[in-house]
Amino acid sequence: MQLAPSIFKAYDIRGVVPSTLTPQVAEALGRAFGTIARAQGERTVAVGRDGRLSGPSLSAALVRGLLASGIDVIDVGMVTTPMLYFAASTLASSGIQVTGSHNPKDYNGFKMVMCGHAIYGEDIQALRRMMEEENWVLQSGGNVRNINVLAPYQARIVSDAKLARPMHIVVDCGNGVAGASAPAIFRALGCQVTELFSEVDGNFPNHHPDPSKPENLRDLIKALQASDAELGLAFDGDGDRLGIVTKDGNTIYPDRQMILFAQDVLSRVPGGEIVFDVKCSQRLAPAIEAFGGKALMYKTGHSLIKARMKEIDSPLGGEMSGHIFFKERWFGFDDGTYAGCRLLEIVSRSPDANAVLNALPTSFSTPELNVKCAEGEPHHVTAKLQGQAASTFAAPARVSDIDGLRVDWPDGFGLIRASNTTPVLVLRFEGNTPEALARIEGEMLALLRQVKPDATIEEAAH
């Protein structure tokens, strides 16, 4: 089978419909995934899809492929990615979500769990090889059951998270699939909810469902300031990431959210090891340690963080991109709705939720920056940067090469790493003062230009 190699990413399969992703590709994936799952003793796979226009046809083809491999399918219909993970944690131990996440509307893709583990890296390449060679094993016997997981999913969240007082919030789902579930769950929790763009519409007619971009939060901030609501919550296209804005229009970025979540989790799991990625603020690790936890900085990538958390039995993990993973009281997968409920539980204990959020430690930082590269170039550049770092940065600078090059000074940090999903370098700089930020950015970019003189810096487009 002829496949576009570009659709096989580090953590998922993703492409443009119909140029690189078609029902034929989806059916082949079903056959390959089913074959490998059966070889590992699996008999049942849950399948869900987000609200994209190409979802129904891709999902139907995927199910056909799974059935042809002799797998029983639990079709949970149109759901958030976390709801598919919930099905793959409670009804089965393997699952596939048809989702384009926060990509443009003509994209779609597949996020996969097999035997309780997120599939990434070499496992995705093994699927690709089987699809190309068509050496899957087909057998009869597979059946489909349609199961609605919203009621048990909502009941599980509402039985766990508790508000200390009623709260009024604004929720912007950006016409993504979270609109079909999140507002109702927040109401069941005890919130008054003002809804923006809850109607699921794969054309995304109002703004793109990506809360990591400030321009996508403008409507939420406007609605928040025009009402007596306390906080604003925003979701990405498939509901696994959460954006938070305060009454005064400040975005509480995920690394600051993690400080709040770590303090709460560590009050019940003393000494717990909290995992976060290399893009997170320098303020996070000392905060975790001050709350009695152990701080573990790790590689960026939701599948990688989840796998590391499993290895060390971590109660909480998070990424700057907005994926937050609660193992304490939950299943360990990233879930924007559940993270929102945990956040509201914490801030509802205070009469002023905004004061709690605005009091979290903060710094001066750049948004995520990108340097476009040729295919395959980013990893070569970061390897060269790592090689030169020791002779470039003297104490008190501390050099980490866990994922690209991160250099920490007493007053801030700089990061240059290779994206695992697109041929770009990802840059991020932070300083305790504007002067520190400018100095760190200058030193890191000077080294980058030694290695890649033609580097052009632009704000990440996502």
Side-chain angles (χ1 to χ4, degrees):
M1 184 178 190
Q2 285 294 109
L3 294 165
S6 63
I7 67 175
F8 296 90
K9 309 291 187 188
Y11 320 120
D12 53 27
I13 295 172
R14 208 170 341 124
V16 177
V17 181
S19 56
T20 59
L21 206 59
T22 62
Q24 290 75 19
V25 173
E27 186 165 350
L29 172 64
R31 292 176 170 205
F33 188 96
T35 299
I36 293 171
R38 279 188 72 93
Q40 295 189 24
E42 292 287 87
R43 291 291 174 268
T44 306
V45 174
V47 172
R49 60 180 166 84
D50 71 12
R52 284 168 187 265
L53 305 176
S54 58
S57 63
L58 292 175
S59 177
L62 175 68
V63 169
R64 281 197 303 275
L66 289 165
L67 292 173
S69 70
I71 285 283
D72 288 332
V73 174
I74 295 174
D75 188 343
V76 295
M78 189 179 73
V79 293
T80 63
T81 295
M83 287 167 70
L84 181 276
Y85 291 155
F86 177 79
S89 301
T90 57
L91 302 173
S93 51
S94 295
I96 303 176
Q97 173 78 347
V98 181
T99 176
S101 190
H102 60 276
N103 288 92
K105 68 178 184 178
D106 52 347
Y107 279 71
N108 216 325
F110 308 92
K111 290 183 180 177
M112 298 165 284
V113 177
M114 190 180 291
C115 302
H117 298 276
I119 282 194
Y120 62 92
E122 181 47 41
D123 292 335
I124 289 178
Q125 294 307 316
L127 284 167
R128 169 190 170 180
R129 287 190 293 274
M130 187 175 284
M131 291 164 71
E132 284 173 338
E133 293 160 19
E134 299 188 18
N135 60 350
W136 41 59
V137 179
L138 302 185
Q139 49 192 293
S140 59
N143 295 299
V144 184
R145 281 182 295 155
N146 294 295
I147 296 183
N148 185 337
V149 293
L150 177 56
Y153 171 76
Q154 176 171 314
R156 174 65 177 78
I157 292 179
V158 173
S159 71
D160 173 81
K162 302 292 177 198
L163 296 190
R165 61 179 175 83
M167 294 187 70
H168 181 187
I169 59 172
V170 182
V171 173
D172 183 345
C173 295
N175 301 107
V177 71
S181 56
I185 290 172
F186 289 120
R187 285 196 180 97
L189 197 67
C191 292
Q192 180 185 343
V193 180
T194 298
E195 297 183 46
L196 294 180
F197 317 132
S198 295
E199 184 188 348
V200 181
D201 182 346
N203 287 306
F204 307 127
N206 294 289
H207 62 72
H208 203 62
D210 181 1
S212 68
K213 295 272 150 221
E215 63 269 22
N216 297 325
L217 298 172
R218 285 184 199 132
D219 294 319
L220 180 59
I221 291 168
K222 205 154 88 182
L224 187 56
Q225 292 176 340
S227 73
D228 63 354
E230 289 183 74
L231 293 176
L233 273 57
F235 295 95
D236 74 335
D238 66 332
D240 58 8
R241 295 186 299 135
L242 169 71
I244 300 169
V245 296
T246 61
K247 190 77 171 169
D248 48 6
N250 287 328
T251 299
I252 306 298
Y253 285 103
D255 49 359
R256 291 179 80 200
Q257 296 172 28
M258 280 291 290
I259 295 175
L260 196 67
F261 291 139
Q263 180 176 18
D264 179 58
V265 168
L266 289 166
S267 72
R268 292 179 299 275
V269 188
E273 194 160 3
I274 312 289
V275 185
F276 55 91
D277 77 320
V278 292
K279 292 199 273 188
C280 284
S281 169
Q282 196 182 59
R283 305 276 192 176
L284 178 53
I288 291 168
E289 286 158 3
F291 303 138
K294 297 190 193 81
L296 177 68
M297 186 167 71
Y298 199 58
K299 301 171 189 178
T300 291
H302 65 93
S303 302
L304 305 178
I305 298 269
K306 274 184 272 207
R308 189 73 182 115
M309 286 177 67
K310 274 206 160 113
E311 284 168 21
I312 63 171
D313 196 24
S314 165
L316 174 69
E319 284 194 293
M320 192 62 199
S321 62
H323 294 274
I324 308 282
F325 316 89
F326 287 94
K327 184 70 179 73
E328 189 249 359
R329 293 167 41 186
W330 192 240
F331 298 90
F333 57 72
D334 34 337
D335 187 335
T337 301
Y338 181 72
C341 291
R342 289 285 289 255
L343 176 99
L344 294 172
E345 176 182 88
I346 295 166
V347 298
S348 72
R349 297 173 194 147
S350 163
D352 187 344
N354 286 274
V356 173
L357 294 175
N358 285 325
L360 293 167
T362 188
S363 299
F364 298 88
S365 62
T366 61
E368 187 171 308
L369 305 170
N370 285 171
V371 174
K372 284 192 178 130
C373 295
E375 196 72 50
E377 185 187 10
H379 288 284
H380 293 302
V381 172
T382 53
K384 282 187 186 164
L385 293 170
Q386 289 169 343
Q388 294 188 24
S391 56
T392 305
F393 302 113
R398 295 192 320 279
V399 172
S400 165
D401 60 3
I402 191 166
D403 183 359
L405 176 66
R406 173 164 164 153
V407 185
D408 279 80
W409 284 268
D411 56 355
F413 82 92
L415 171 73
I416 304 175
R417 61 177 289 275
S419 166
N420 286 317
T421 51
T422 46
V424 299
L425 292 167
V426 176
L427 284 62
R428 185 164 150 71
F429 308 107
E430 174 184 275
N432 294 353
T433 63
E435 296 74 23
L437 173 61
R439 187 196 81 240
I440 289 166
E441 188 169 352
E443 287 192 39
M444 295 290 286
L445 291 180
L447 175 61
L448 174 61
R449 293 216 162 92
Q450 282 177 36
V451 171
K452 183 174 167 59
D454 63 342
T456 304
I457 316 291
E458 35 192 70
E459 199 164 323
H462 280 293

